[in-house]
């Protein structure tokens, strides 16, 4: 009896068109919510990717003393890659000019994320590696200020290096606190030969990490326990 009455009422609502309108509204609402959810998910993924490339990795540790280096070397990194960079400001000399530059010395694991876009005498090209020892890359503004051609020698402290490419784009452009001067990128193994870093020098040591979220979280927890004031 109840079932029969329910079927009759349902049939009447369908014929009246009210139920059809409600069903269409429900489908439209579900479609809109699903579309917004998909859009926000894609947007979040894109923002995360851009943030990681802007940072240079999933996790970044900054230090003025570099007392954390031994702790980082003892980390058990199974799936996470990491790199070291040293940031400082120094005057660079060419045969004819001199100019203050923001120097970024990177190891052979640079960059962890993304690619650099460079330019030399043959045109523009992309690389996913650091400068070779004995060479440097520079911003175009610095190249022009120093009146340099590709292959020219520059002098950084006591070191003589070769200018080989112009920096068009670098993934971790926001790294460091020395962005007030045009950029120079060099290999970290050439830093010692410059004798620029002395006791009392203003230097920033950065470590970048890229790997699975679970391992990154463990590394972050470890570094937060070991960090000192200013890190």
């Amino acid at each position: 009896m109840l079932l029969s009455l329910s079927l009759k009422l349902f049939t009447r609502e369908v014929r009246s068109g009210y139920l059809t309108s409600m069903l269409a509204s429900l489908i439209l609402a579900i479609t809109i919510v699903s579309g917004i959810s998909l859009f926000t998910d894609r947007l979040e993924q894109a923002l995360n990717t851009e943030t990681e490339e802007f940072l240079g990795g999933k996790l970044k540790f900054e230090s003025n003393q570099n007392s954390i280096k031994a702790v980082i070397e003892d980390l058990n990194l199974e799936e996470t890659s990491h790199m070291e960079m040293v940031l400082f400001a120094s005057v660079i000399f060419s045969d004819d000019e001199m100019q203050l530059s923001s120097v970024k010395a990177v190891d052979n694991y640079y960059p962890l994320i993304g690619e650099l876009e460079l330019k030399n005498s043959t045109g523009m090209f992309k690389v996913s590696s650091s400068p070779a020892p004995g060479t440097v890359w520079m911003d175009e503004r610095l190249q022009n200020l120093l009146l340099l051609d590709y292959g020219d020698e520059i002098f950084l402290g006591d070191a003589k290096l070769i200018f080989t490419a112009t920096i068009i784009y670098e993934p971790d452009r926001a790294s460091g606190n020395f962005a007030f001067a045009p950029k120079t990128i060099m290999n970290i193994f050439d830093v010692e030969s410059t004798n620029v870093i002395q006791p009392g020098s203003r230097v920033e040591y950065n470590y970048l990490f890229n790997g699975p979220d679970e391992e990154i979280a463990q590394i972050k927890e470890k570094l937060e326990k070991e960090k000192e004031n200013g890190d």
Side-chain angles (χ1 to χ4, degrees):
M1 181 71 178
L2 183 59
L3 179 60
S4 176
L5 180 60
S6 298
L7 289 174
K8 288 181 180 180
L9 291 174
F10 178 75
T11 303
R12 187 178 68 180
E13 291 295 333
V14 170
R15 289 176 179 174
S16 68
Y18 293 116
L19 192 60
T20 304
S21 301
M22 292 178 61
L23 180 61
S25 299
L26 182 61
I27 294 173
L28 181 61
I30 293 174
T31 302
I32 293 174
V33 171
S34 300
I36 293 175
S37 177
L38 180 62
F39 173 75
T40 54
D41 182 63
R42 293 289 179 87
L43 181 62
E44 183 179 2
Q45 292 179 13
L47 287 174
N48 287 338
T49 300
E50 290 294 328
T51 301
E52 290 171 6
E53 185 166 334
F54 184 72
L55 187 67
K58 288 187 175 180
L59 178 67
K60 180 181 178 182
F61 185 89
E62 298 180 356
S63 173
N64 295 325
Q65 304 296 328
N66 205 26
S67 57
I68 203 74
K69 185 171 184 177
V71 176
I72 292 176
E73 291 176 347
D74 291 338
L75 289 173
N76 185 20
L77 305 179
E78 297 180 357
E79 301 180 57
T80 298
S81 54
H82 75 288
M83 63 152 293
E84 177 184 4
M85 67 171 66
V86 181
L87 307 171
F88 56 93
S90 180
V91 174
I92 294 180
F93 295 84
S94 66
D95 289 337
D96 303 311
E97 300 290 340
M98 63 179 181
Q99 182 66 39
L100 180 66
S101 174
S102 171
V103 182
K104 179 168 71 175
V106 297
D107 65 16
N108 291 332
Y109 296 99
Y110 175 82
L112 289 183
I113 295 178
E115 294 179 318
L116 291 95
E117 186 174 351
L118 305 175
K119 182 176 70 172
N120 60 16
S121 57
T122 62
M124 293 187 184
F125 60 99
K126 293 183 179 181
V127 298
S128 55
S129 59
S130 60
T135 67
V136 295
W137 302 333
M138 293 181 175
D139 283 341
E140 187 171 13
R141 182 161 67 96
L142 183 59
Q143 175 190 358
N144 294 334
L145 289 171
L146 293 176
L147 305 177
L148 291 174
D149 290 324
Y150 301 112
D152 285 352
E153 293 180 344
I154 63 99
F155 300 89
L156 176 55
D158 295 335
K160 180 170 64 177
L161 306 168
I162 305 297
F163 166 62
T164 59
T166 303
I167 305 167
I168 304 301
Y169 170 78
E170 55 182 314
D172 59 323
R173 189 67 182 180
S175 295
N177 298 321
F178 299 95
F180 53 83
K183 178 70 64 64
T184 296
I185 301 180
M186 64 183 293
N187 195 292
I188 199 170
F189 295 106
D190 290 324
V191 172
E192 185 176 358
S193 64
T194 66
N195 289 319
V196 168
I197 299 178
Q198 301 290 335
S201 296
R202 188 184 175 198
V203 186
E204 183 179 298
Y205 301 89
N206 287 355
Y207 292 89
L208 298 171
F209 301 84
N210 184 42
D213 293 339
E214 297 79 8
E215 199 165 271
I216 291 294
Q218 295 175 5
I219 296 170
K220 181 179 180 182
E221 182 179 359
K222 175 67 175 178
L223 294 179
E224 284 181 339
K225 291 180 180 179
E226 300 291 340
K227 73 181 182 69
E228 300 180 359
N229 292 334
D231 292 347

